């Protein structure tokens, strides 16, 4: 389906997410077996297993076991409860994009989750169901020049392939995010601005500020894991952003939430002004 290039586990997971979002796969439905999915996507079963684990971590699958195919999970929990990032962020962004003037401020480690979650509001724009006049994004991510708190190798080496891998991911995902937003500008005449600046530290949490009305906060949880990179297996301590639970604070929900949103916005604005140069994506 993609010529000679094999799909990655992330790409397979996103295809299955779209089938769930689009209603092709409904709550309670069984997924095809790993063998059937491997045959469909022309990949090894290990790649399928990684994709299914990602969907399970996002709260989209239940009954994941070796004995039988998993089932599609029931719809997300009520708004007031914390939800996995990939469950919560897409609908929140779609709601934020229904405003005439969209402003999104983000603190994150990479923009992978944001890039994937944006597929929902961008789809609604391309379908003509929402019509924002302007979209303004500001994104803060760690600088390429700092020693990251995570991801890091379990055992130190003279070179640092984990840092190299992270930097490649950071830049590639940010470029895709930038491209997708600029495509809206050219095809729908939406006034789009997106800027990236580099943090001098590793953020312990991810923060999404939506139109100054809602703050979504999730803490990164570190885990030991392995990842294939350039024909070698890296043992690392890392945090998977999709596993973070997002806590929602709505300005209209009451005084405590309103104060949190306002103070978070002030903190972001001050940090943004402190960092004077834009981040390079190379």
């Amino acid at each position: 389906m993609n010529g000679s290039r094999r799909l990655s586990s992330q790409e397979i997971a996103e295809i299955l997410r779209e089938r769930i979002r689009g209603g092709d796969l409904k709550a309670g439905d069984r997924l095809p077996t790993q063998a059937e999915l491997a045959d469909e996507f022309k990949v090894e079963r290990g790649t399928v297993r990684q994709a299914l684990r990602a969907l399970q971590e996002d709260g989209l699958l239940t009954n994941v076991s070796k004995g039988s195919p998993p089932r599609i999970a029931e719809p997300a929990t009520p708004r007031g409860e914390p939800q996995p990032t990939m469950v919560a962020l897409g609908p929140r962004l779609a709601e934020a994009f229904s405003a005439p003037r969209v402003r999104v401020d983000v603190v994150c480690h990479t923009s992978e989750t944001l890039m994937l979650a944006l597929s929902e509001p961008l789809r609604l724009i391309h379908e003509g169901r929402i019509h924002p006049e302007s979209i303004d994004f500001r994104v803060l991510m760690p600088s390429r020049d700092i020693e990251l708190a995570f991801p890091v190798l379990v055992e130190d080496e003279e070179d640092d392939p984990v840092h190299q891998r992270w930097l490649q991911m950071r830049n590639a995902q940010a470029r895709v995010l930038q491209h997708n937003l600029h495509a809206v500008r050219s095809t729908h005449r939406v006034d789009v601005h997106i800027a990236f600046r580099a943090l001098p530290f590793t953020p312990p949490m991810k923060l999404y500020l939506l139109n100054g009305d809602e703050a979504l906060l999730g803490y990164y949880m570190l885990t030991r894991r392995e990842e294939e990179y350039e024909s070698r297996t890296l043992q690392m301590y890392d945090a998977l952003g999709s596993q973070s639970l997002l806590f929602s604070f709505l300005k209209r929900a009451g005084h405590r939430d309103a104060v949190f949103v306002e103070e978070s916005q002030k903190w972001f604005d001050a940090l943004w002004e402190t960092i004077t140069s834009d981040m390079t994506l190379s």
Side-chain angles (χ1 to χ4, degrees):
M1 57 191 297
N2 281 294
S4 59
R5 188 182 76 83
R6 291 192 173 187
L7 292 173
S8 68
S9 61
Q10 293 93 336
E11 290 171 320
I12 293 171
E14 183 55 20
I15 291 171
L16 294 175
R17 284 191 192 98
E18 286 300 320
R19 292 178 184 176
I20 295 170
R21 291 171 186 154
D24 295 326
L25 292 170
K26 299 178 176 60
D29 286 353
R30 284 193 182 277
L31 277 183
T33 66
Q34 291 183 14
E36 290 170 337
L37 290 171
D39 184 64
E40 176 185 352
F41 295 112
K42 303 296 187 292
V43 296
E44 301 293 334
R45 288 194 190 186
T47 304
V48 170
R49 283 194 293 272
Q50 290 179 16
L52 297 183
R53 281 199 298 268
L55 294 175
Q56 181 185 17
E57 291 163 358
D58 293 347
L60 298 177
L61 296 181
T62 60
N63 299 332
V64 178
S65 68
K66 295 181 179 179
S68 61
R71 292 184 183 273
I72 308 303
E74 293 295 324
T77 55
R79 186 184 186 100
E81 299 180 17
Q83 298 173 287
T85 299
M86 288 306 301
V87 174
L89 189 56
R92 302 294 205 282
L93 283 170
E95 184 176 333
F97 269 58
S98 65
R101 298 187 179 278
V102 180
R103 188 179 84 242
V104 178
D105 294 328
V106 182
V107 179
C108 56
H109 198 256
T110 72
S111 57
E112 179 179 19
T113 303
L114 178 62
M115 176 190 71
L116 295 173
L118 264 179
S119 63
E120 176 68 10
L122 294 182
R123 178 179 65 82
L124 296 176
I125 291 176
H126 291 305
E127 291 177 356
R129 295 167 61 183
I130 56 176
H131 310 274
E133 298 171 6
S134 64
I135 300 172
D136 188 2
F137 264 70
R138 297 185 297 178
V139 184
L140 289 169
M141 290 189 287
S143 167
R144 64 181 297 149
D145 299 321
I146 67 170
E147 185 174 342
L148 292 171
F150 59 88
V152 292
L153 285 167
V154 172
E155 296 183 2
D156 291 337
E157 296 183 15
E158 185 172 340
D159 64 335
D160 192 351
V162 168
H163 188 93
Q164 296 167 14
R165 174 183 171 276
W166 165 81
L167 183 60
Q168 290 174 5
M169 290 174 56
R170 187 203 73 168
N171 292 343
Q173 292 159 4
R175 283 194 292 267
V176 171
L177 177 66
Q178 189 177 55
H179 170 79
N180 290 345
L181 285 169
H182 285 169
V184 172
R185 179 173 62 188
S186 60
T187 57
H188 295 274
R189 297 182 180 179
V190 178
D191 185 18
V192 173
H193 298 276
I194 179 169
F196 300 89
R197 291 186 182 175
L199 290 169
F201 59 88
T202 307
M205 82 301 180
K206 53 174 57 183
L207 176 67
Y208 305 93
L209 297 167
L210 310 180
N211 295 338
D213 295 323
E214 182 175 16
L216 296 169
L217 176 70
Y219 290 97
Y220 290 113
M221 301 297 291
L222 291 182
T223 184
R224 178 169 174 164
R225 70 189 192 91
E226 63 181 36
E227 190 71 42
E228 298 298 321
Y229 176 70
E230 294 187 349
S231 301
R232 61 183 295 189
T233 301
L234 302 178
Q235 298 286 342
M236 67 180 80
Y237 294 110
D238 195 9
L240 299 178
S242 62
Q243 293 183 1
S244 300
L245 289 178
L246 284 185
F247 292 80
S248 171
F249 299 85
L250 277 168
K251 218 172 186 180
R252 62 178 179 270
H255 177 72
R256 187 180 66 173
D257 278 33
V259 170
F260 184 88
V261 174
E262 291 168 0
E263 292 302 317
S264 297
Q265 189 66 63
K266 289 178 183 176
W267 174 80
F268 183 95
D269 291 341
L271 189 57
W272 185 266
E273 293 304 320
T274 302
I275 304 169
T276 57
S277 59
D278 288 345
M279 184 177 78
T280 58
L281 301 180
S282 60

